[in-house]
Amino acid sequence: MREIKFRGKDINGEWVYGHYVVLEESTSLATPCIWQYGARRATPVKPETVGQYTGIKDSNGIEVYEGDILRVTIPEEHEPIYDYTGWITDYDIKDGSIQLGAVSFKHGMFEYDELRVLEGSSEGMYNIPLCIVENTEVVGNIHDELESTKEEL
């Protein structure tokens, strides 16, 4: 069973992690908050930055959250070419690629959507279940500037 937790940015722009709660101050005013583990009170967060933990870690053991930007490395593949009898006669080399994509929750699951190809050709990876995407590295998120990836683009 995966751990259910969230993160969001507080009013100072710092990430806070914990349980997602909405505090209702009146019938017309509700404040989204993250209740940090071990805290005595909830921290108000910007609602557009709230993302749920996917239950998946990248290749470096970093937790992947909704809204994260992943660098995905797709290795070179050797696809067999068959003759009419079904014997392999040769191999077609399919170039690998490196791409950036975003994690989102759609269609009842966490998905990976290709944003930009850094190297090689596009694999057309859209609406791919995150659980089958391999060779990933969290490089940022859609709410922060991607300083480390700007240098590579």
Side-chain angles (χ1 to χ4, degrees):
M1 182 191 242
R2 76 178 173 87
E3 185 177 8
I4 306 295
K5 59 183 174 180
F6 293 83
R7 74 171 180 196
K9 282 191 158 197
D10 66 12
I11 57 172
N12 297 321
E14 298 294 321
W15 287 108
V16 290
Y17 297 81
H19 301 288
Y20 180 66
V21 295
V22 177
L23 301 179
E24 294 185 23
E25 298 171 13
S26 69
T27 56
S28 63
L29 184 62
T31 305
C33 298
I34 299 289
W35 198 295
Q36 295 177 316
Y37 304 112
R40 292 182 181 253
R41 62 182 177 85
T43 303
V45 293
K46 300 174 187 171
E48 66 274 9
T49 66
V50 174
Q52 186 175 8
Y53 174 49
T54 64
I56 296 173
K57 295 183 179 180
D58 73 0
S59 300
N60 298 319
I62 306 295
E63 294 177 339
V64 178
Y65 284 81
E66 186 179 359
D68 277 345
I69 303 291
L70 302 179
R71 178 188 297 127
V72 176
T73 304
I74 299 168
E76 181 180 274
E77 294 180 15
H78 298 264
E79 295 181 358
I81 299 173
Y82 300 93
D83 68 8
Y84 68 94
T85 63
W87 288 92
I88 298 173
T89 58
D90 203 353
Y91 288 90
D92 187 19
I93 298 175
K94 183 179 175 187
D95 291 335
S97 67
I98 299 174
Q99 57 184 257
L100 294 178
V103 176
S104 60
F105 187 82
K106 295 186 287 193
H107 308 108
M109 65 182 165
F110 291 103
E111 295 184 349
Y112 172 85
D113 288 312
E114 179 182 300
L115 295 175
R116 182 176 301 148
V117 176
L118 301 177
E119 217 176 273
S121 60
S122 173
E123 297 292 321
M125 293 180 66
Y126 303 101
N127 301 325
I128 303 295
L130 182 63
C131 60
I132 66 169
V133 180
E134 297 177 335
N135 302 316
T136 62
E137 179 183 0
V138 175
V139 295
N141 61 74
I142 60 174
H143 308 291
D144 289 333
E145 290 192 39
L146 300 175
E147 295 303 326
S148 60
T149 57
K150 285 181 182 177
E151 296 169 6
E152 299 170 7
L153 299 178

